[in-house]
């Protein structure tokens, strides 16, 4: 059974960076991308990007280019997302998830983590 | 602002049928990209309920069905039940943006 468990809540000051982790189990980690999606309070989900644990390759939404870095550690089956230059607009629940299929054209997120609340405030 | 447009809210009495629309463009739904639908209860992660060509996730009742035509997709819920009260989001890949996009969301209320 697939499990996705994320790190806990974070409170950050404006200008700081945050790193969220996403530990997986129950499937072959290197077969599937890991996606990151965020959801600001009262808003719909917003795709941040994805990482391939097999190759390390990444795709980021244009909005986050230059501020986000996604990595994956195959030894611990854990993916990471780091976001720099935080502003209050980055306050959101950040989710990681595994898609429903194992090719580069799989965009449906079937298995979701529980979410990590990142609050940016001075 | 999302490129997938959904009605902000819909409501219906128990047993009724409602349809949630998701309007896109030629670079996403109109390009033949699959549309997925998620249900989200307060304080929880989105839950995948429909994906591919009208495929339901395991455990999702057949009261839920999806359809697609041109640049729009729809999620229908028949025999509305109190447990269906939630936020619903459509999602698809956008060829121009190069990633995946979500709709603005529809809050379904069971009267």
């Amino acid at each position: 059974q697939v499990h996705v468990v994320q790190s806990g809540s974070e409170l950050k000051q404006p200008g700081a960076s945050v790193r969220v982790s996403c530990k997986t189990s129950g499937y072959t980690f290197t077969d599937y991308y890991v996606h990151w999606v965020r959801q600001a309070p009262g808003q719909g989900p917003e795709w941040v990007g994805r990482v391939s644990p097999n190759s390390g390759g990444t795709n980021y939404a244009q909005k986050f280019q230059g501020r986000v870095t996604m990595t994956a550690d195959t030894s611990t089956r854990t993916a990471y997302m780091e976001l720099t230059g935080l502003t209050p607009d980055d306050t959101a629940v950040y989710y990681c998830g595994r898609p429903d299929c194992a090719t580069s054209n799989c965009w449906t997120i079937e298995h979701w983590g529980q979410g990590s609340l990142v609050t940016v405030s001075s | 602002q999302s490129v997938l447009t959904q009605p902000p809210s819909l409501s219906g009495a128990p047993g009724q049928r409602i349809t949630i629309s998701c309007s896109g463009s030629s670079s996403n739904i109109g390009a033949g990209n699959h549309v997925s639908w998620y249900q989200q209860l307060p304080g929880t992660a989105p839950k995948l309920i429909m994906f591919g060509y009208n495929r339901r996730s395991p455990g999702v009742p057949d009261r839920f069905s999806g359809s697609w035509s041109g640049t729009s997709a729809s999620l229908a819920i028949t025999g509305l039940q109190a447990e269906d009260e939630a936020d619903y989001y459509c999602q698809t890949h956008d060829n121009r943006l190069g990633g995946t996009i979500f709709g603005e969301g529809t809050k379904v209320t069971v009267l």
Side-chain angles (χ1 to χ4, degrees):
Chain A
Q1 190 170 1
V2 176
H3 287 286
V4 182
V5 179
Q6 299 181 223
S7 49
S9 299
E10 302 264 11
L11 174 60
K12 296 292 183 180
Q13 294 202 331
S17 300
V18 69
R19 189 191 197 206
V20 181
S21 69
C22 173
K23 187 168 178 60
T24 70
S25 62
Y27 70 97
T28 303
F29 184 58
T30 50
D31 280 353
Y32 295 81
Y33 279 84
V34 174
H35 289 257
W36 290 89
V37 173
R38 77 177 188 181
Q39 189 170 27
Q43 304 296 313
E46 178 180 32
W47 185 72
V48 180
R50 67 177 183 175
V51 58
S52 166
N54 181 48
S55 67
T58 55
N59 301 103
Y60 302 138
Q62 186 172 9
K63 175 178 180 177
F64 302 100
Q65 293 271 5
R67 280 211 301 144
V68 69
T69 303
M70 295 177 184
T71 57
D73 183 341
T74 56
S75 67
T76 60
R77 306 172 54 88
T78 302
Y80 299 91
M81 183 205 68
E82 181 176 30
L83 190 62
T84 62
L86 293 170
T87 73
D89 287 342
D90 293 314
T91 294
V93 177
Y94 288 75
Y95 295 100
C96 63
R98 198 210 82 172
D100 65 315
C101 55
T103 72
S104 62
N105 199 33
C106 296
W107 299 95
T108 296
I109 301 172
E110 182 177 14
H111 301 280
W112 293 70
Q114 82 277 20
S116 301
L117 174 62
V118 175
T119 303
V120 184
S121 174
S122 55
Chain B
Q1 191 161 351
S2 175
V3 296
L4 295 179
T5 302
Q6 298 181 232
S9 63
L10 288 173
S11 62
Q16 284 190 329
R17 170 190 170 104
I18 64 169
T19 302
I20 304 169
S21 60
C22 174
S23 178
S25 68
S26 59
S27 65
N28 44 69
I29 299 175
N33 294 325
H34 292 172
V35 177
S36 300
W37 290 91
Y38 300 85
Q39 178 191 65
Q40 187 175 34
L41 300 173
T44 69
K47 171 190 171 185
L48 178 67
I49 56 173
M50 301 288 301
F51 64 106
Y53 291 113
N54 198 24
R55 295 172 61 188
R56 278 182 295 276
S57 289
V60 174
D62 59 7
R63 303 184 291 102
F64 291 84
S65 63
S67 63
W68 158 63
S69 177
T71 59
S72 295
S74 296
L75 174 71
I77 310 175
T78 58
L80 198 62
Q81 299 185 4
E83 67 200 49
D84 301 332
E85 190 162 287
D87 293 324
Y88 291 84
Y89 298 95
C90 58
Q91 177 220 15
T92 189
H93 174 62
D94 190 282
N95 296 346
R96 180 177 58 85
L97 297 174
T100 191
I101 53 176
F102 290 85
E104 301 156 318
T106 298
K107 182 175 183 62
V108 169
T109 301
V110 181
L111 301 172

